[in-house]
Amino acid sequence: MAETENIAKMAEIISKDIFSWFKRHRRPIKNRNWDCVIEAHNKKTHPSDVVFYFHHPYKNCVKYLNVDLKSYSKGSITNQSIQSALQSLSKSVHCANISPSWKKDFMLKHECDSEVDGLLFVYNHDDKYDSDFRSHFKGIDKKSLALQPDHLIHVFGPKDIALMVDIVTDIKSNVAEGVIKDKDSYSFYYPELVRYKVTGDEKNLPAIPEVLNSPWLIIKHPLKDSFNYGFIIYYNEKGETEEEFIYLLDYLSHNQILLGDYEIKMKFTRLCENASSNFDKARHYYLQAWGIDHYREQKIWRIGFDSITNFSKKFYETEIGMD
């Protein structure tokens, strides 16, 4: 009973304090078991702690995330516990895509296609875990995961969750200060690709799981008292080399952000002590590569940068333990 209550509490906190700011929607049913329809799974039911959904801007479909919530102490985050959770979740995702029971409980009617992926959310409630979370994936036999080629499992570990909390808190601060008008007045930015065009409401696009684990996350928002836009770039690398910033400037230039009449702010989330110096060196290098171009020079030196505060490693004050 206590574990059920803790799962419900975590689902509410994650929905309100994290995922809603990344433009995810939550289905109302939480902590539900539903019928397994694949005999090879040798199970009667599969669990769904909570289910989120969003429009995928590149695939032009609605993605559902069947979420497995884990709240572990440091000692409980082991190869065995993570691999066991992945094996269980892979079966759930495999089954959810074809189970009438899952669709009846969670799926809405959409004009476009819909798919179910998995999300393993591993929160460290004693705030003592400091190891390399990805090391727990080593040695996993992919054949043991009942996952179809077109379905994914996303994994957020303790450091990923702390990073998301920091970014969300910074977004909230921008809203409170009037930099961003309100919760509905910003969108996550996606460039047009050769094979994939951006679909959906470009003024309200979500942060898909892939970009939350990427080197940077970009928000586009209307500027106050202006018809133009601003970009906030949350930079998730440490900034240890100038080459990584040259790559970022290439990206911004290629996608017409750098040379537009936009306000651009860099927010470092994992700042190393030489990051600002390396960024300046990258700007100098880029300008030299361009040659004498005062317009480009003006644009590149207008990029503001700062580090965001590590507001909290714990997204909730009360420990929610489910070891």
Side-chain angles (χ1 to χ4, degrees), residues 149-175:
D150 52 344
H151 300 147
L152 300 173
I153 291 181
H154 307 281
V155 182
F156 291 145
K159 290 182 180 179
D160 301 316
I161 296 168
L163 177 62
M164 286 191 290
V165 172
D166 290 343
I167 291 174
V168 165
T169 308
D170 191 73
I171 295 172
K172 290 179 181 179
S173 177
N174 278 288
V175 171

Side-chain angles (χ1 to χ4, degrees), residues 167-187:
I167 291 174
V168 165
T169 308
D170 191 73
I171 295 172
K172 290 179 181 179
S173 177
N174 278 288
V175 171
E177 294 171 4
V179 177
I180 298 174
K181 182 180 177 182
D182 55 40
K183 197 173 184 179
D184 298 320
S185 298
Y186 65 90
S187 176

Side-chain angles (χ1 to χ4, degrees), residues 3-188:
E3 182 173 344
T4 299
E5 292 175 354
N6 284 336
I7 289 174
K9 190 182 294 184
M10 279 188 71
E12 191 66 32
I13 294 165
I14 295 164
S15 174
K16 180 181 177 182
D17 292 343
I18 302 182
F19 282 174
S20 66
W21 290 88
F22 291 127
K23 310 282 186 177
R24 312 280 179 80
H25 306 285
R26 192 193 75 193
R27 299 297 295 130
I29 297 175
K30 296 173 289 189
N31 196 31
R32 172 68 60 88
N33 289 329
W34 41 274
D35 297 337
C36 175
V37 295
I38 299 177
E39 186 176 352
H41 289 174
N42 196 28
K43 296 171 69 73
K44 291 184 178 181
T45 62
H46 293 287
S48 290
D49 291 341
V50 63
V51 172
F52 293 93
Y53 68 98
F54 57 91
H55 177 85
H56 197 292
Y58 286 138
K59 293 192 173 183
N60 192 25
C61 73
V62 175
K63 279 282 189 180
Y64 286 84
L65 293 177
N66 193 70
V67 184
D68 185 5
L69 300 172
K70 301 295 185 186
S71 182
Y72 289 151
S73 65
K74 174 183 177 180
S76 295
I77 302 177
T78 63
N79 288 8
Q80 182 178 358
S81 65
I82 299 304
Q83 292 179 20
S84 176
L86 286 172
Q87 289 170 351
S88 175
L89 184 56
S90 69
K91 291 179 181 178
S92 296
V93 171
H94 184 195
C95 202
N97 277 278
I98 58 175
S99 170
S101 175
W102 190 95
K103 293 180 179 181
K104 178 176 179 291
D105 286 342
F106 300 107
M107 189 167 285
L108 298 170
K109 292 182 179 180
H110 303 285
E111 294 182 358
C112 57
D113 293 337
S114 57
E115 301 173 351
V116 185
D117 286 341
L119 172 59
L120 178 61
F121 189 96
V122 183
Y123 172 61
N124 173 221
H125 65 72
D126 63 11
D127 197 23
K128 295 180 180 179
Y129 183 84
D130 57 1
S131 301
D132 177 11
F133 184 75
R134 297 295 187 271
S135 67
H136 298 299
F137 303 156
K138 295 178 181 178
I140 292 179
D141 181 4
K142 294 183 179 180
K143 294 180 181 179
S144 70
L145 301 180
L147 204 60
Q148 301 305 296
D150 52 344
H151 300 147
L152 300 173
I153 291 181
H154 307 281
V155 182
F156 291 145
K159 290 182 180 179
D160 301 316
I161 296 168
L163 177 62
M164 286 191 290
V165 172
D166 290 343
I167 291 174
V168 165
T169 308
D170 191 73
I171 295 172
K172 290 179 181 179
S173 177
N174 278 288
V175 171
E177 294 171 4
V179 177
I180 298 174
K181 182 180 177 182
D182 55 40
K183 197 173 184 179
D184 298 320
S185 298
Y186 65 90
S187 176
F188 292 92

Side-chain angles (χ1 to χ4, degrees), residues 301-320:
W301 286 107
R302 282 178 57 188
I303 301 174
F305 62 92
D306 196 3
S307 59
I308 69 172
T309 305
N310 297 124
F311 296 96
S312 175
K313 292 183 179 179
K314 304 182 72 173
F315 72 85
Y316 191 55
E317 293 178 353
T318 303
E319 289 188 1
I320 307 174

Side-chain angles (χ1 to χ4, degrees), residues 260-285:
D261 191 20
Y262 304 121
E263 179 183 272
I264 304 174
K265 294 181 179 179
M266 289 267 293
K267 297 287 189 84
F268 293 101
T269 62
R270 296 171 176 171
L271 185 67
C272 83
E273 61 180 0
N274 295 322
S276 59
S277 174
N278 289 333
F279 186 43
D280 276 351
K281 289 178 182 178
R283 292 199 277 197
H284 278 290
Y285 174 88

Side-chain angles (χ1 to χ4, degrees), residues 184-201:
D184 298 320
S185 298
Y186 65 90
S187 176
F188 292 92
Y189 172 77
Y190 297 88
E192 297 282 352
L193 303 178
V194 175
R195 293 181 58 194
Y196 298 102
K197 302 301 180 183
V198 177
T199 63
D201 182 1

